[in-house]
Amino acid sequence: MTVLEPLSLDGFVPYPAETAARYRAAGFWTDQTLPEPLFATVARVPGKTAIVAGETSLTYAELGDRILRIAAGLRHLGVGRGDRVVVHLPNIPEFIAFVYAFWELGAIPVFAPAAHRRTEIEHFVEVTEARVYVTVARHDGADLAALAAELKATWPSLEHTVVLDADGGGADLDRLLAHDPLPHERRSLPGDVALLQLSGGTTGQPKLIPHTSETYLHSVRASIPLCGITEDSVQLTAVPLCHSMSVRSPGFLSVLSAGGTVVLAHNGSPDTVFPLIQRHRVTQSSIVPPLLLAWLNSSLKERYDLSSLESLHVGGARLSIEAARRVRPELDVILQQGFGMAEGLVNYNRFDVDEETSVRCQGRPISPGDELLIVDDSGQAVPPGVPGHLLTRGPSTIRGYFRNPEENARSFTPDGFYRTGDIVERDENGYLAVVGRSKDQINRGGEKVAPEEVENLILGHEGVHDVSVVGIPDAILGERVKAFVIPRAEADPATLKLAAIRKFLRDRGLASYKLPDALDVVAEFPQTAVGKVSKRLQRVPQN
Ligand code: AMP
């Protein structure tokens, strides 16, 4: 076998050598690449069901075979180690098959949310110099086949597009599957960059988060016991597959290495998922608070047998204590709150915490290697019970965004701590409660929106003199997106109505969850004492 040298990739911020050595010596980082735990399961329980989606069901042997055929087809196209590729798929089995196929080759998938549109996807292709774009022909009314053709014509790096039917399948897939399976073997190293996830961020376009097999699998291995994942687990994935909670916390990587079953759903509404829970005897699901509220408030829960559900993992956004209290009595499951970030750090409440901690806290770090600083505005550590800014460093947390030195100077301290932008309170037992946020970011039910990205696009409207975008409180989503617009003197008011601005943004290819939910046309913005726009005052609900 050829001996592989470490992958060198410009724009990746490495860990200091002594830190990496320490993480390996401690067993946080192991000699494993992302596809290896799955192929160990394929060898162990080939006949077990790995994935269910609609009427499709794949055993581990079938999944392994698909991955290796797709990998062979991609290799035939010239795809190999270190190549960046954009995977832009909804919750279909091909998402999982393609990312494993790319990992098998040592290629680096960008996990693009299916809701993303031209503006975001083009940014990923440009920054990563992607060679391949994989998508579905249509999604939520958008013509992604046309987008694929347009991107290929525009970006010289993009040599191949794979366009699947809306529900997966199709001629492009058949062409790849026609290849004989590649032998499963190591074609990358555990320390190579293996994937690029996205950060909602606060400024401009989404930032790219480079994980290696070492950083990612550390999180997966820690999640498996803490979330109770076993060979008997049947996990329902109802939030987009690209999110950390669907991939690694605990996600399909955990379930597929344990030998359980992943059930995919296109969305998390009760009428979609309750029948799936009943039919497949689902034991666990990871969801965002608005979905939990929808489940709690649905009368359908009496109509379906949900008794197989053992635990619900809830995170991504703030869950109210009132909603948390309802989970056990109304759904008869263990509520496991989690608080994490694609940048790395993950916290879970342990299953045995007392009732108060389970409803008030969002967990404690999953790794003994995680270092947390909770500090006041002047950087001094605060005692337990006092809110402070959370900074973190550890074996799952990146040291920098991909190809983004300016943002890295802002978001990371010189000694490698990531400034999360979250304000947390730690109790005497080390459990964290997320009590606020210092970053200018909107958390719309778990989907993150950077106000500046939306503002920059609205500023391109000919009738707009100035704009400010903020998150306003919302009973279900936690926050919604609101735009305040100061018109130009000559502007036609009809072009500045909410529907018109939403269409304007959609036409520019912005993901729909980032579109303003509300809009006010105003003469001026409220100001802070130092003359800046007071977003705090704009967030206060107006009557
Ligand atoms: P993402 O990288 O998209 O997972 O977003 C990470 C951010 O989501 C965190 O930095 C928090 O601001 C927020 N977040 C995640 N989980 C929670 C939670 N349980 N409660 C409050 N905010 C959360």
Side-chain angles (χ1 to χ4, degrees), residues 6 26 73 123 187 206 219 227 238 252 297-298 347 373 398 427 437 453:
H123 171 69
R187 297 180 184 83
S219 209
C227 299
F252 67 82
N297 293 337
S298 170
N347 304 274
L373 301 176
I398 58 163
D427 73 10
R437 192 168 55 212
E453 181 184 8

Side-chain angles (χ1 to χ4, degrees), residues 434-446:
V434 185
V435 296
R437 192 168 55 212
S438 60
K439 57 192 170 194
D440 185 18
Q441 182 185 71
I442 303 167
N443 190 334
R444 192 179 184 279

Side-chain angles (χ1 to χ4, degrees), residues 314-318 338-343 362 420 422 434 437 439 441 443 446 448:
V314 182
R318 195 178 160 72
F339 155 55
M341 53 214 68
E343 284 80 357
Q362 285 75 47
T420 67
D422 293 311
V434 185
R437 192 168 55 212
K439 57 192 170 194
Q441 182 185 71
N443 190 334
K448 314 301 184 307

Side-chain angles (χ1 to χ4, degrees), residues 43-369:
R44 197 173 71 244
V45 286
K48 246 196 120 219
T49 303
I51 304 180
V52 178
E55 296 309 313
T56 304
S57 153
L58 291 173
T59 63
Y60 275 94
E62 288 165 340
L63 175 62
D65 180 70
R66 283 198 145 219
I67 291 167
L68 296 173
R69 284 176 188 278
I70 294 171
L74 292 168
R75 190 157 85 161
H76 182 73
L77 296 176
V79 180
R81 185 179 182 207
D83 287 342
R84 276 81 61 199
V85 301
V86 177
V87 175
H88 183 211
L89 295 173
N91 286 10
I92 54 177
E94 284 80 0
F95 182 110
I96 296 176
F98 269 89
V99 295
Y100 273 109
F102 284 123
W103 287 333
E104 182 67 26
L105 296 173
I108 305 171
V110 178
F111 283 24
H116 277 179
R117 294 293 173 257
R118 194 184 64 238
T119 176
E120 293 98 355
I121 303 295
E122 193 154 40
H123 171 69
F124 305 145
V125 171
E126 179 177 7
V127 174
T128 68
E129 301 166 276
R131 293 189 64 199
V132 185
Y133 171 54
V134 185
T135 192
V136 281
R138 291 197 78 77
H139 180 68
D140 265 356
D143 185 350
L144 300 180
L147 174 63
E150 189 187 321
L151 291 174
K152 191 158 171 239
T154 313
W155 295 99
S157 73
L158 194 66
E159 291 164 49
H160 305 288
T161 59
V162 177
V163 181
L164 309 177
D165 292 347
D167 283 321
D172 280 7
L173 180 65
D174 290 344
R175 260 193 297 280
L176 295 172
L177 288 175
H179 289 257
D180 285 339
L182 273 190
H184 164 61
E185 62 188 44
R186 185 174 277 193
R187 297 180 184 83
S188 61
L189 290 179
D192 290 359
V193 174
L195 63 115
L196 292 160
Q197 258 186 313
L198 306 179
S199 161
T202 58
T203 52
Q205 290 273 16
K207 300 182 291 280
L208 291 153
I209 297 169
H211 278 289
T212 66
S213 292
E214 289 175 325
T215 61
Y216 224 57
L217 285 176
H218 176 55
S219 209
V220 171
R221 272 192 308 274
S223 293
I224 290 173
L226 294 177
C227 299
I229 302 296
T230 69
E231 199 169 304
D232 297 325
S233 295
V234 181
Q235 177 182 66
L236 174 79
T237 303
V239 298
L241 263 170
C242 57
H243 283 218
S244 298
M245 62 164 63
S246 301
V247 194
R248 60 147 187 170
S249 334
F252 67 82
L253 284 172
S254 301
V255 175
L256 297 179
S257 53
T261 300
V262 177
V263 177
L264 299 179
H266 281 295
N267 62 63
S269 72
D271 51 338
T272 303
V273 296
F274 288 177
L276 293 174
I277 295 173
Q278 172 175 293
R279 176 166 169 203
H280 301 294
R281 307 293 298 155
V282 167
T283 61
Q284 188 270 342
S285 192
S286 303
I287 56 176
V288 287
L291 289 189
L292 177 66
L293 286 175
W295 292 19
L296 286 169
N297 293 337
S298 170
S299 57
L300 286 180
K301 66 180 186 290
E302 321 304 335
R303 294 245 307 272
Y304 289 94
D305 177 4
L306 307 181
S307 63
S308 57
L309 257 187
E310 292 163 7
S311 62
L312 274 181
H313 177 98
V314 182
R318 195 178 160 72
L319 175 66
S320 73
I321 293 181
E322 299 71 42
R325 279 200 206 290
R326 293 173 55 193
V327 174
R328 198 184 271 274
E330 295 185 29
L331 292 169
D332 193 24
V333 299
I334 297 172
L335 166 69
Q336 180 174 47
Q337 295 203 55
F339 155 55
M341 53 214 68
E343 284 80 357
L345 175 73
V346 179
N347 304 274
Y348 300 131
N349 280 341
R350 306 305 193 250
F351 279 157
D352 59 0
V353 289
D354 59 64
E355 169 71 14
E356 275 314 290
T357 308
S358 123
V359 298
R360 284 184 186 284
C361 293
Q362 285 75 47
R364 62 183 169 83
I366 64 174
S367 168

